Amino acid sequence: MSVILLCVLSLVLAGSGLHGRNASVSHEYCVLGAGPAGLQMGYFLSRSQRDYIILERNAGPGSFFQIYPRHRKLISINKIYTGRRNKEFNLRHDWNSLLSDRPNLLFQRISRELYPNADDFPRYLSTFVKELGLKVKYGADIGRIKASDFNGNQGYILTDQNGVSYQCSVLLVSTGLWVPQQVDFLGSDLVEGYESIPTDPEEFKDQAVLILGKGNSAFETAQSILGRASRIHLYSPSPVRLAWQTHYVGDLRAVNNELLDTYQLKSLDGLVEGRLEDIAIVRREKDGGKRRTLYLTLTELLDQNGNNISKVTGQNLPGFHTDNFSLRQPYDRVIRCLGFRFNFSIFDGSARPPQSSGARGRLPGITAWYEGRGTPNMFVLGTAAHSRDYRMSAGGFVHGFRYTVRAVHKILEQRYHNIAWPATKLPISQLQSWILRRVNEASGPYQMFGVLGDIILLRGSYCEYLEEFPLQALPQLSALSGRPLTDHGLLVLVMQYGLNRTDTLGPGRAESEWTKAWRPNFLHPVLYYYNTLPTEKDMRQRPVGWPLPRPEAVHHMVEDFLTEWDQPISHSQPLRRFLEHCLQTDLRAFYAESCFLLSLTSRTPPLFCRQGYLRKQGIVGNSHLWQHAREAGLMADHHGDITPGHDTSVSEYLKHADAAVVSAMNFDL
């Protein structure tokens, strides 16, 4: 009886997900972190029926958003009403939803606010997990990751707080950035952190506040206390960068920038630039020790040892030497709002990715296909992978990395399962219409502008269309996609902003003349044509600001105020002429009657006719059509009632016509 009870107890423990210390679990894929990037990858792995597990240290998904932003307003747009019903188009303006095959599994089910409350996002992620049945193990706090050899390939072993080991052939790191960024300077222990400051504005009533930083977290904090603090100063090395000027969503958003008004209209608040490494925060007692105030000073003004910062005199302060020093007045509080960094501490030496060269080393260094540098079979997803497009595109945010995660999944499918990158096979005659559809609807290249692009592999009379490939990995296209290149070359479709910097809100800020499409300012489609695949050297030596090396030919579609590239003169006709130049063929569309006439009068009818009408994609011949052709003068009049079945000349021509792939493309955009 005791044996039976022991067996039952073991089954109960196994079903509850409990493991004994030093237990080991194996999976093909381990996804570290149940934030939006981890869940997005979990969806793709689940849809492909792969062996995976998502490990999350907290009790639910999206735990970062249960704390941040501290003042609970998201700055990601939740635009529900676009006037369109096209789901793909609407994702261009939905910055919170994850990708799935469920048309109703969108963030708007949870919130209909343009800037939602942060509490809504974990609720949405929980709904995403539940309705898709994703395999998430909560309460698994991974404290150590090491590399290990699995059958000659590098894999990884993850160990949690209970000593349970998770072995995986491929590790997908989606932990985000959650370690507060700090700068070591004298008096930094007197500074409060963004992660712990009170959020009740009344606690800042009539206080002078110095905020270190000029990003969204700094301005969010300032805005929350703007009506209570006596004065607010923001200090950092760089001037404030406005998102509506830089087109980078991570720069200061208008929803947080009310302090710019009080600064420019001289209402006690202000912005100052200076190196954080050169400052010191010192404390001085006033009113006989009843009040302690904080001063910002420079380390060079302190004593030589620089270690007695609690007993300073006036000579140790910048105001003594420069009586017009901007920050000479004391502060009641100093708050650090410098953002977050990647947690490198859980990786041992065998598995630790290097720090990226940009973003002050806050992010891991990864390849153009999001694999850790020096850490094979470990890929970095989500915000932590933002080093590939830092300050360039939206890869650090949900509406950007949901597409880079999808691209990484396609790479995984090719590398580990020999499933080539999905491609649409098109006759060349339909390429223009397909491109126009993509530039008017596709959300991936629109959000990840300059980073993800559509690749068109030319195959002669037809082409293969690959969507949303990482542009910086273009030299490795064949290996990563499983799609070989031919000597016909390729086209690359990219969405990008112009390089002509102008007054963002001034006259001349936009270009509407299609003959000057090459000098735009706003987001617009660009096509690059290459005879051969660019090399890694070509990518390194590409012009500054260009997403790709110089091509054999390039075409800019003029920017459009409505972001609708569908006008015949400004958009369609210039695009067709560019494609005809690259492909050396006539891409005009013809009515069936014209194809009929050209087929009878020319040895080489236009490509459109050969790939459509002459492949029986035009109007099917019958007695009424033949009668109409005679009455229209397209055919000589014959005596008697002649039907198509009585004349084999057309059928013989069709039999020997050079035709390509058949596709029923709708040309009505």
Side-chain angles (χ1 to χ4, degrees):
M1 187 68 179
S2 60
V3 175
I4 296 176
L5 290 175
L6 182 60
C7 292
V8 171
L9 180 60
S10 299
L11 290 173
V12 171
L13 291 174
S16 64
L18 299 176
H19 300 280
R21 182 168 295 277
N22 299 324
S24 180
V25 182
S26 296
H27 294 279
E28 184 178 11
Y29 295 96
C30 287
V31 182
L32 186 58
L39 298 183
Q40 184 68 86
M41 178 56 78
Y43 162 72
F44 289 118
L45 292 173
S46 178
R47 189 180 65 174
S48 300
Q49 298 182 341
R50 305 302 175 199
D51 174 26
Y52 77 96
I53 187 67
I54 302 174
L55 302 172
E56 168 58 45
R57 61 177 181 157
N58 293 290
S63 58
F64 180 89
F65 296 93
Q66 294 175 352
I67 304 173
Y68 305 108
R70 292 301 311 281
H71 301 92
R72 312 313 291 151
K73 178 183 280 191
L74 296 176
I75 59 175
S76 51
I77 295 172
N78 182 38
K79 189 174 180 64
I80 297 173
Y81 303 105
T82 67
R84 303 277 289 273
R85 295 185 178 181
N86 185 294
K87 176 187 175 183
E88 181 69 13
F89 174 86
N90 288 341
L91 279 172
R92 290 182 169 186
H93 312 288
D94 174 353
W95 289 13
N96 298 280
S97 296
L98 298 182
L99 306 177
S100 76
D101 55 3
R102 305 280 185 92
N104 65 337
L105 194 51
L106 300 175
F107 185 76
Q108 62 183 256
R109 282 177 52 182
I110 306 298
S111 172
R112 305 187 75 81
E113 297 295 323
L114 182 62
Y115 295 106
N117 187 283
D119 294 329
D120 294 332
F121 199 63
R123 290 173 52 211
Y124 168 69
L125 296 181
S126 295
T127 303
F128 192 84
V129 171
K130 181 179 179 180
E131 295 196 8
L132 294 174
L134 302 185
K135 301 174 183 177
V136 184
K137 178 175 175 54
Y138 297 111
D141 189 358
I142 301 300
R144 184 189 179 199
I145 300 174
K146 68 176 182 178
S148 182
D149 181 86
F150 295 156
N151 299 320
N153 297 312
Q154 180 164 309
Y156 295 90
I157 299 177
L158 293 67
T159 306
D160 69 11
Q161 77 278 20
N162 297 316
V164 178
S165 295
Y166 302 85
Q167 300 180 7
C168 52
S169 302
V170 182
L171 173 60
L172 303 166
V173 180
S174 54
T175 55
L177 308 179
W178 58 271
V179 180
Q181 174 76 2
Q182 301 189 39
V183 177
D184 187 21
F185 55 80
L186 293 172
S188 58
D189 57 313
L190 302 174
V191 175
E192 300 173 72
Y194 171 73
E195 65 277 6
S196 59
I197 58 171
T199 56
D200 183 2
E202 292 298 328
E203 296 200 26
F204 296 84
K205 186 177 180 180
D206 201 28
Q207 293 183 0
V209 180
L210 174 64
I211 298 177
L212 305 181
K214 293 198 194 86
N216 278 296
S217 62
F219 273 87
E220 166 212 327
T221 301
Q223 185 146 315
S224 71
I225 63 175
L226 201 57
R228 294 295 180 267
S230 60
R231 72 176 183 274
I232 305 171
H233 292 162
L234 275 68
Y235 182 92
S236 74
S238 302
V240 64
R241 291 179 289 232
L242 302 170
W244 51 268
Q245 287 181 323
T246 64
H247 307 303
Y248 174 58
V249 67
D251 284 336
L252 178 60
R253 303 287 301 285
V255 70
N256 283 329
N257 71 8
E258 291 181 12
L259 183 134
L260 295 182
D261 268 9
T262 59
Y263 169 43
Q264 291 293 341
L265 300 178
K266 303 306 292 179
S267 187
L268 298 179
D269 305 318
L271 311 175
V272 180
E273 284 73 54
R275 280 172 47 87
L276 293 172
E277 293 82 0
D278 297 337
I279 68 171
I281 302 297
V282 298
R283 182 170 53 205
R284 297 187 72 189
E285 295 182 356
K286 300 184 69 175
D287 301 332
K290 296 181 180 180
R291 182 183 177 191
R292 293 182 177 181
T293 57
L294 303 174
Y295 285 85
L296 180 146
T297 186
L298 304 177
T299 54
E300 62 184 24
L301 298 180
L302 300 177
D303 59 50
Q304 292 183 353
N305 294 328
N307 54 11
N308 191 9
I309 60 174
S310 60
K311 297 180 180 180
V312 296
T313 65
Q315 294 183 356
N316 300 125
L317 302 179
F320 180 85
H321 305 275
T322 304
D323 62 1
N324 196 31
F325 181 67
S326 301
L327 305 181
R328 60 183 180 271
Q329 292 294 332
Y331 297 96
D332 296 291
R333 311 176 87 137
V334 180
I335 302 173
R336 165 183 41 76
C337 298
L338 301 175
F340 301 89
R341 63 185 297 110
F342 182 73
N343 181 22
F344 290 91
S345 66
I346 60 176
F347 300 87
D348 72 6
S350 64
R352 183 179 296 115
Q355 292 178 305
S356 64
S357 56
R360 300 188 300 277
R362 296 186 298 119
L363 303 169
I366 56 177
T367 66
W369 50 95
Y370 298 90
E371 190 171 15
R373 293 191 180 277
T375 54
N377 303 321
M378 183 178 81
F379 293 80
V380 182
L381 310 174
T383 303
H386 194 30
S387 60
R388 292 309 311 181
D389 64 307
Y390 182 66
R391 299 200 50 77
M392 293 167 45
S393 196
F397 312 90
V398 174
H399 65 288
F401 64 62
R402 63 191 179 192
Y403 302 104
T404 59
V405 169
R406 181 163 64 183
V408 170
H409 177 256
K410 294 175 182 177
I411 292 171
L412 299 178
E413 289 291 286
Q414 162 59 21
R415 178 185 291 189
Y416 301 111
H417 308 287
N418 200 30
I419 298 177
W421 196 286
T424 302
K425 195 173 183 180
L426 296 171
I428 289 296
S429 60
Q430 295 181 5
L431 177 57
Q432 177 185 347
S433 295
W434 198 270
I435 290 174
L436 288 173
R437 183 185 68 84
R438 288 289 293 170
V439 301
N440 283 289
E441 295 180 1
S443 59
Y446 189 89
Q447 299 290 17
M448 289 303 297
F449 53 87
V451 176
L452 297 180
D454 291 355
I455 311 297
I456 304 161
L457 301 178
L458 303 176
R459 309 293 198 201
S461 60
Y462 71 98
C463 65
E464 291 182 349
Y465 200 105
L466 285 65
E467 298 179 358
E468 300 169 18
F469 188 84
L471 297 178
Q472 296 172 21
L474 192 57
Q476 292 80 28
L477 172 68
S478 297
L480 295 176
S481 70
R483 303 282 178 180
L485 196 68
T486 69
D487 55 6
H488 292 283
L490 71 156
L491 289 161
V492 184
L493 175 61
V494 188
M495 300 292 289
Q496 62 186 69
Y497 279 93
L499 299 177
N500 298 311
R501 304 301 182 190
T502 61
D503 184 350
T504 311
L505 298 178
R509 62 183 178 271
E511 183 59 67
S512 59
E513 175 56 50
W514 69 270
T515 60
K516 299 177 182 177
W518 52 273
R519 57 178 192 184
N521 300 312
F522 280 93
L523 192 68
H524 66 287
V526 184
L527 274 141
Y528 295 78
Y529 170 67
Y530 297 96
N531 287 328
T532 59
L533 201 62
T535 65
E536 291 190 22
K537 181 180 179 181
D538 294 333
M539 291 296 297
R540 291 193 302 268
Q541 296 179 348
R542 67 186 186 273
V544 176
W546 285 43
L548 292 168
R550 292 189 183 276
E552 276 69 41
V554 64
H555 174 66
H556 291 258
M557 295 181 67
V558 67
E559 58 187 288
D560 187 80
F561 180 74
L562 301 174
T563 62
E564 295 176 355
W565 292 274
D566 57 2
Q567 296 305 296
I569 295 176
S570 295
H571 304 127
S572 299
Q573 181 172 302
L575 172 61
R576 176 177 62 81
R577 296 304 299 270
F578 171 75
L579 294 175
E580 288 177 338
H581 168 73
C582 296
L583 303 174
Q584 293 296 297
T585 189
D586 187 344
L587 293 178
R588 287 177 296 174
F590 295 87
Y591 289 105
E593 290 185 38
S594 301
C595 285
F596 187 38
L597 176 61
L598 290 167
S599 300
L600 298 175
T601 59
S602 173
R603 290 182 178 274
T604 56
L607 184 65
F608 178 88
C609 297
R610 285 185 280 137
Q611 293 190 341
Y613 175 78
L614 293 178
R615 294 289 293 178
K616 300 184 180 181
Q617 295 299 296
I619 300 175
V620 177
N622 54 46
S623 59
H624 298 289
L625 178 60
W626 282 72
Q627 180 65 28
H628 173 72
R630 289 196 298 270
E631 293 174 353
L634 299 177
M635 296 181 62
D637 193 13
H638 293 277
H639 296 288
D641 187 13
I642 301 176
T643 65
H646 298 148
D647 189 346
T648 60
S649 60
V650 175
S651 61
E652 285 297 314
Y653 184 87
L654 292 173
K655 180 178 179 181
H656 298 288
D658 179 18
V661 181
V662 176
S663 178
M665 179 65 189
N666 181 7
F667 286 87
D668 183 11
L669 296 178

